[in-house]
Amino acid sequence: MKPESEKYNKVVNLLRESKPVLVSSDDIEREVMNRLKRVHHSGLYLSEVVDFLFGWVYIGWVRRSLIAASIVLVFVFIYQQSIILKRIDVLSRQAVIIDKENVVTPSVEIERLLTVYKNSGGRFPSKTITISERQIKELMESVNELQIKYKELEELIEGDPELKKLIEKKLIEYNRLRINL
Amino acid sequence: MFFTLLLNKRLNSTIQQSILIDIKLIEECRGGNFNNFRKLVELTTPFAYSVAFRMLGNEEQAKDVVQETMVTIWQKLKKIKTAEVYKTWIYRVVVNKCYDQMRKRKRNPEFIADELTWALIANKVSEGASEALENSETSKIISLLTERLSPKQKAVFVLSDLEGMSNDKISEITGISKSAVKANLYHARKSISERVEKYI
């Protein structure tokens, strides 16, 4: 298919016949020679240095390779960023949960929840009791401390029969009061 | 034995003369003979200007391109393998400089198409003008017809339809394949043809 028409041919012929006329060719020659003299006398061909350093960018296959490499790098960067963002998102969610535990379940609240759990015979849904590692550690320490004190007290009572009798008597009275209540 | 290159030059709008560039002159310049380079500049400038002017459609920019081309020629003349490839090489340098100029111009477009220019083309075409156009007229017409072409299409159109080169030669000068030359030329002609049909 030939796209060019008669009018097109006329216009192109007109342009072909009208060769551009260079009126001031002497000026161009003079300017070129002056520029070259300046370069010639300076001793250092800056453009040659630039060409030597960066001339390789004009090689077709190097340019295409660089373009391909830059596109690959951009995609790798985007992929990496998306993974990082995803991980940050996951981490931030975890941090929120820990924070929530600290804020929502202070030690008083945990005691209350434990009491409820104990009284309900373990039927209390465990998911609703959320405590942090630090709070569990505190709980374990206090339980241990309590056990040691209990043992010491037991030894003390065993070693003193009068004290034992007195305590047994007091306990009976206490239990009786509780039943009465 | 001296070889000669035949270069076309027009001293004025109607008279065409052929210019012979002595291979010896090129070889001497390649050897660093600065004094002989003036002669080479004098012989090369007209056809370098013709290509630059037709690609850019602007006298001042074409002159700048020619100046830069000549400076580049002097700096890189030693790098060409033989003097026989001088003409092709010159065209390649000019075309590349024009690409640079077009890239600069793309950032600062200055030509605005108007009805007067279309009227001018219509007049010239209908008159069947035997006289060649003035530079300013040629500049306007070229700018108007080629403003929508890509730099490659412009180069191929100018070298093929205005400078009368073969596709092989154009491929050698522009560094694009022959099939790409044909495709670019087809699109350039189609685009120009559509504009000519639409406005004239």
Side-chain angles (χ1 to χ4, degrees):
Chain A
M1 181 188 151
K2 282 202 166 186
E4 55 272 27
S5 62
E6 196 188 335
K7 279 180 188 171
Y8 169 89
N9 288 330
K10 275 186 181 174
V11 172
V12 168
N13 278 336
L14 190 64
L15 289 173
R16 200 182 292 139
E17 293 301 314
S18 311
K19 274 254 177 188
V21 182
L22 182 56
V23 184
S24 53
S25 63
D26 290 344
D27 292 346
I28 290 182
E29 280 167 36
R30 204 177 308 119
E31 181 59 32
V32 169
M33 298 317 283
N34 286 339
R35 278 173 72 172
L36 285 177
K37 272 177 192 163
R38 281 199 294 273
V39 176
H40 207 57
H41 291 302
S42 71
L44 177 69
Y45 290 4
L46 184 65
S47 64
E48 278 190 7
V49 175
V50 171
D51 277 356
F52 177 72
L53 292 174
F54 305 108
W56 52 271
V57 299
Y58 294 106
I59 302 169
W61 68 268
V62 175
R63 288 177 102 161
R64 283 190 285 275
S65 308
L66 286 174
I67 290 165
S70 60
I71 290 168
V72 168
L73 283 175
V74 166
F75 278 110
V76 168
F77 176 75
I78 291 167
Y79 175 72
Q80 218 174 16
Q81 286 297 308
S82 67
I83 286 180
I84 289 170
L85 283 173
K86 213 176 265 181
R87 295 194 73 171
I88 288 172
D89 189 40
V90 169
L91 286 171
S92 66
R93 268 190 216 160
Q94 285 177 357
V96 166
I97 289 165
I98 290 164
D99 191 39
K100 199 176 164 189
E101 282 172 11
N102 288 338
V103 174
V104 175
T105 56
S107 55
V108 178
E109 182 69 8
I110 289 168
E111 278 171 26
R112 192 185 67 76
L113 289 168
L114 282 171
T115 313
V116 173
Y117 181 74
K118 202 175 166 186
N119 291 341
S120 67
R123 280 170 304 184
F124 195 87
S126 59
K127 271 186 183 172
T128 54
I129 303 172
T130 49
I131 55 171
S132 69
E133 244 177 77
R134 188 180 57 79
Q135 287 167 332
I136 290 171
K137 209 173 172 183
E138 279 176 11
L139 185 70
M140 295 303 289
E141 279 172 2
S142 67
V143 167
N144 287 339
E145 203 179 322
L146 205 63
Q147 278 178 338
I148 292 165
K149 281 182 179 173
Y150 179 74
K151 213 171 243 182
E152 282 174 1
L153 194 65
E154 215 174 30
E155 282 169 6
L156 192 71
I157 293 166
E158 289 294 328
D160 192 345
E162 279 185 19
L163 183 64
K164 194 180 174 185
K165 273 182 188 175
L166 181 71
I167 288 170
E168 278 173 352
K169 192 182 166 186
K170 284 284 176 190
L171 275 171
I172 291 163
E173 278 176 21
Y174 178 73
N175 285 337
R176 197 181 296 149
L177 274 172
R178 276 187 77 188
I179 289 161
N180 287 340
L181 282 169
Chain B
M1 185 181 170
F2 299 138
F3 297 95
T4 51
L5 290 174
L6 187 65
L7 303 173
N8 292 325
K9 180 183 182 184
R10 280 213 175 169
L11 295 177
N12 58 45
S13 58
T14 51
I15 303 164
Q16 188 175 345
Q17 284 191 345
S18 55
I19 296 293
L20 296 168
I21 296 183
D22 203 328
I23 290 288
K24 190 186 173 190
L25 180 66
I26 300 168
E27 289 293 358
E28 281 175 355
C29 292
R30 267 158 61 80
N33 190 330
F34 189 63
N35 293 327
N36 279 355
F37 188 64
R38 178 184 286 272
K39 182 73 182 162
L40 193 64
V41 170
E42 190 190 322
L43 294 172
T44 310
T45 298
F47 82 89
Y49 177 74
S50 169
V51 175
F53 179 84
R54 284 169 160 175
M55 272 188 75
L56 299 167
N58 183 301
E59 281 187 82
E60 289 309 310
Q61 286 175 4
K63 281 178 189 170
D64 288 345
V65 163
V66 171
Q67 281 183 21
E68 285 172 22
T69 302
M70 292 305 156
V71 173
T72 306
I73 287 169
W74 172 250
Q75 289 170 341
K76 295 184 178 174
L77 197 57
K78 287 174 192 171
K79 290 181 183 174
I80 60 168
K81 287 174 188 167
T82 58
E84 284 80 4
V85 297
Y86 179 74
K87 190 180 173 184
T88 308
W89 179 60
I90 288 282
Y91 274 117
R92 192 180 303 151
V93 175
V94 174
V95 168
N96 286 336
K97 297 279 178 198
C98 288
Y99 283 161
D100 292 342
Q101 194 67 247
M102 281 183 225
R103 267 195 290 271
K104 281 185 206 165
R105 203 166 55 175
K106 208 174 177 184
R107 291 193 284 269
N108 310 300
E110 54 188 41
F111 181 79
I112 300 162
D114 55 15
E115 288 177 5
L116 283 174
T117 314
W118 284 117
L120 168 80
I121 302 173
N123 274 340
K124 293 284 177 184
V125 171
S126 60
E127 279 171 11
S130 55
E131 280 183 18
L133 299 168
E134 296 286 325
N135 271 4
S136 57
E137 292 171 331
T138 313
S139 158
K140 277 181 184 174
I141 294 172
I142 287 178
S143 299
L144 198 57
L145 293 177
T146 62
E147 66 176 342
R148 288 191 184 167
L149 302 184
S150 70
K152 271 184 190 170
Q153 289 171 348
K154 258 185 207 180
V156 170
F157 166 72
V158 169
L159 294 175
S160 173
D161 284 7
L162 302 187
E163 296 290 328
M165 289 185 194
S166 67
N167 287 355
D168 290 352
K169 197 78 180 166
I170 296 168
S171 170
E172 209 179 323
I173 289 166
T174 55
I176 55 178
S177 66
K178 266 190 268 179
S179 54
V181 168
K182 279 181 190 170
N184 276 304
L185 189 57
Y186 173 80
H187 287 295
R189 283 173 176 167
K190 195 179 171 194
S191 167
I192 293 171
S193 201
E194 278 169 4
R195 285 174 79 76
V196 168
E197 287 295 325
K198 188 176 175 186
Y199 293 106
I200 297 179

